[in-house]
């Protein structure tokens, strides 16, 4: 008998015994037989992500309920979702083809990972007419657990976030729905499934091994990301399957985004774009008056190092100041002088400024809400840019970059130098606290670059004003009985379905360490060389210092005397001011020097570094910045920069104008000019008697380095006018 005849007879037998729906199609199900339905009453960030993944794999989606008010309940507190069943039942009335395949999935927390061909093939292989996603945990009624059929292997409980089946069977399944919109859709489908007669009549089964659907709730240990050919795909390692649809309905070790939902963050597609051009908001070519209006919120919560530098960087932000309003909340009395100085000089440059000071009795949480209101209440405000004072804003284009990325909530990735501490979390623990995601280190260290959906950000972020006026309009955004204000805020953001993004596509800056910052000095930043070495270097080390080591920017005014830049003007000024503020200048110092074979006191008017508790910081400075020059200029000599004496000397014509010839009690000496000849004083300098060589025009911030004993017998030349200051270190005595 011919094959065609046999096939025809088997088909007749099938139709005579069973209904048409129980007869398997002869070949693969054509892709045009697939109709995908979802419910989305508003276009949230999750919905947009869902649609992007659908477009990537050439799915066509029919959206139900678009623009309709959501009355399906609050998933955060109680079961709901009946509105989805109502909308599905209504939509199926127009489906007349009996062999139409319906895929019904959630949209706010779902993404596709493969195309229709694989989806339909895997559905066909189940040999059932309706296939639901499966879960490890039962919800919402645990009392129904014993009524669920046992499975030989895999997940036992039904999940309503995704199912696929023939239109006629699904019509039959939802025909009895008469519930309310806020009734539980999952409970409705579960009761159908555990009813043996209805389960068999409709021909329902579960995707127990996650070949079609992967629900992430309860899947803490079974889902990993598989990277292959430029793509990342979720893999169920427990069943060795590659699900086509991923439903982020609960915690995994991958990451959390919103509504307690979890989606793999590093999901990429072969032809997908990290930043798609059609999603951007370009600012180039706009007139200044056309730039979006932004309220910048500045929050000073505790004593913070380098606050004056923070304001200097704020001024350099490349954005029209007439399109910027400032909201400054200062909780710290110590910083009142710094805020006042900034506003006194620059307030008029901005569109508007509002200040809340430490004496106004406004707590930190309330001040953040007031800042949000400043933007909410201004009809022209389009963005709120929040910055804590411990943010080091290094990229002057940062605000423009973030606006152009056109996200509702986005943060520039920043971390503490040399540490993995950053301004975002990659994942949350089950109780809502920090958990490290598998990709966190790669993102912080820049091995993976892009825009990342994350569950928590802090310290610096850009928030779109329409989000503040709608999804985030509640007055208690930062309040929680159990969470810190920043964690409570991010929890509220997630609850409202707003995605928080962090981008590491540029270098934006860093976060300061504030834990050990003391305010008992005049210039407290000088003491930050240990806690914030990068910021200390930028503030106090001469910008040409690196050329000393790399380009030989070292002068030799006398034999074995080396002259090089080391301190900025700010460093010099602050050291002088610190010493004068301390004020206890010696009337005749205790500088031990070697003269004519013996030790003798050579008096100076000085204050020692240990008198102002600066000796540890000074030693760190010598090790980091002087020792490398020493070892470069005196080959074969290595120093640990030990010293017994390090001090600032003051020379005045009517006090002590000069210093008689002497040897220093050191292997080598550093003599660092702290102010400028011809401006601050006249005269001065140093003369090396053996070589009859003098340096009579010391440069502010430059150091003289020379041997201390035997060869470099020297004297301090007279200061004839003004006041001269030098910092001296006898190194390796």
């Amino acid at each position: 008998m011919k094959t065609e005849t046999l096939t025809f007879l088997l088909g007749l037998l099938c139709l005579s015994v069973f209904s048409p729906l129980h007869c398997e199609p002869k070949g693969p199900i054509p892709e045009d037989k697939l109709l995908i339905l979802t419910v989305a009453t508003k276009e949230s960030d999750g919905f947009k992500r869902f649609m992007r993944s659908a477009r990537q794999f050439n799915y066509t989606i029919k959206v139900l309920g678009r623009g309709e008010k959501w009355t399906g309940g609050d998933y955060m507190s109680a079961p709901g979702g009946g509105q989805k069943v109502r909308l599905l039942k209504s939509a199926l009335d127009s489906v007349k083809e009996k062999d139409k395949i319906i895929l019904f999935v959630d949209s706010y927390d779902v993404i596709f990972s493969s195309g229709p061909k694989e989806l339909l093939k895997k559905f066909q292989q189940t040999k059932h007419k309706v296939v639901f996603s499966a879960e490890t945990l039962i919800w919402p009624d645990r009392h129904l657990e014993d009524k669920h059929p046992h499975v030989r292997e895999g997940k036992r409980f039904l999940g309503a976030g995704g199912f696929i089946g023939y239109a006629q069977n699904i019509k039959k399944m939802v025909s009895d729905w008469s519930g309310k919109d806020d009734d539980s859709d999952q409970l409705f489908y579960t009761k159908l499934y555990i009813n043996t007669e209805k389960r068999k009549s409709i021909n329902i089964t579960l995707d127990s091994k996650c070949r079609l659907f992967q629900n992430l709730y309860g899947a803490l240990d079974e889902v990993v990301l598989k990277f292959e050919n430029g793509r990342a795909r979720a893999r169920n390692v427990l069943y060795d399957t590659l699900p086509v649809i991923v439903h982020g309905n609960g915690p995994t070790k991958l990451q959390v985004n919103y509504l307690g939902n979890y989606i793999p963050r590093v999901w990429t597609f072969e032809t997908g774009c990290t930043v798609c051009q059609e999603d951007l908001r370009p600012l180039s070519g706009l007139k200044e008056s056309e730039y979006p209006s932004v309220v910048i919120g500045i929050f000073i919560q505790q004593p913070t190092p380098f606050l004056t530098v923070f304001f200097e960087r704020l001024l350099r932000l490349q954005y029209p100041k007439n399109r910027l309003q400032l909201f400054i909340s200062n909780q710290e009395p110590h910083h009142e002088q710094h805020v006042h100085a900034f506003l006194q000089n620059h307030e008029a440059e901005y569109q508007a400024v509002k200040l809340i000071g430490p004496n106004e009795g406004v707590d930190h949480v309330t001040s953040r809400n007031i800042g949000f209101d400043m933007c909410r209440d201004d009809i022209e405000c389009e963005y709120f840019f929040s910055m804590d004072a411990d943010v080091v804003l290094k990229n002057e284009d940062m605000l423009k970059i973030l606006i152009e990325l056109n996200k509702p909530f986005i943060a520039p990735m920043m971390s503490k130098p040399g540490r993995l501490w950053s301004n975002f979390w990659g994942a949350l623990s089950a109780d809502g606290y920090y958990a490290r995601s598998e990709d966190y280190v790669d993102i912080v260290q820049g091995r993976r670059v892009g825009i990342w959906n994350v569950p928590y950000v802090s310290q610096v972020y850009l928030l779109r004003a329409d989000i503040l006026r709608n999804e985030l309009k509640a007055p208690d955004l930062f309040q929680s009985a159990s969470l810190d204000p920043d964690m409570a805020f991010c929890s509220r953001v997630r609850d409202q379905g707003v995605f928080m993004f962090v981008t590491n596509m540029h270098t934006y800056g860093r976060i300061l360490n504030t834990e050990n910052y003391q305010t008992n000095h005049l210039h407290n930043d000088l003491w930050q060389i240990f806690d914030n070495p990068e910021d200390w270097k930028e503030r106090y080390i001469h910008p040409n210092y690196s050329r000393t080591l790399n380009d030989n920017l070292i002068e030799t005014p006398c034999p074995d005397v080396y002259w090089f830049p080391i301190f900025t003007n700010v460093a010099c000024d602050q050291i002088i001011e610190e010493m004068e503020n301390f004020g206890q200048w010696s009337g005749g110092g205790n500088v031990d020097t070697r003269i004519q074979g013996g030790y003798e006191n050579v008096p100076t008017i000085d204050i020692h570094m240990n008198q102002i508790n600066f000796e540890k910081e000074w030693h760190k400075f010598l090790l980091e910045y002087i020792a490398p020059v020493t070892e470069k200029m005196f080959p074969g000599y290595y120093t640990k920069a030990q010293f017994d004496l390090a001090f600032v000397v003051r020379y005045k014509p009517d006090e002590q104008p000069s210093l008689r010839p002497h040897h220093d009690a050191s292997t080598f000496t550093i003599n660092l000019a702290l102010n400028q000849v011809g401006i601050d004083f006249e005269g001065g300098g140093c003369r090396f008697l053996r070589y009859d060589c003098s340096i009579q025009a010391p440069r502010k911030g430059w150091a003289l380095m020379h041997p201390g004993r035997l060869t470099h017998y020297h004297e301090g030349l007279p200061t004839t006018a003004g006041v001269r200051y030098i910092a001296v270190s006898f190194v390796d005595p």
Side-chain angles (χ1 to χ4, degrees), residues 357-408:
N359 299 319
E360 296 186 36
V362 179
D363 62 65
H364 170 59
V365 168
T366 303
S367 70
R368 290 195 181 262
N369 282 317
I370 294 173
F372 283 172
D373 284 339
M374 185 173 173
C375 179
R376 288 188 186 109
D377 298 340
D378 181 353
I379 192 171
E380 291 189 357
C381 178
E382 293 189 54
Y383 293 95
F384 186 88
F385 185 40
S386 181
M387 281 199 298
D388 290 0
D390 54 359
V391 168
V392 180
L393 198 164
K394 292 287 290 177
N395 190 323
E396 297 177 4
D397 294 316
M398 180 166 69
L399 181 54
K400 289 196 293 188
I401 291 170
L402 296 179
I403 289 174
E404 288 183 330
L405 290 174
N406 200 26
K407 298 295 184 184

Side-chain angles (χ1 to χ4, degrees), residues 460-481:
V460 53
Y461 52 83
L462 182 72
L463 183 57
R464 215 167 57 208
D466 64 296
I467 300 296
L468 282 175
R469 297 185 185 108
N470 295 290
E471 288 86 348
L472 301 180
K473 62 184 177 183
D476 60 347
L477 293 173
F478 294 90
Q479 294 173 347
S480 170

Side-chain angles (χ1 to χ4, degrees), residues 416-429:
K416 294 185 177 181
R419 297 171 59 183
L420 290 175
W421 194 102
S422 76
N423 65 325
F424 79 96
W425 294 352
L428 294 182
S429 62

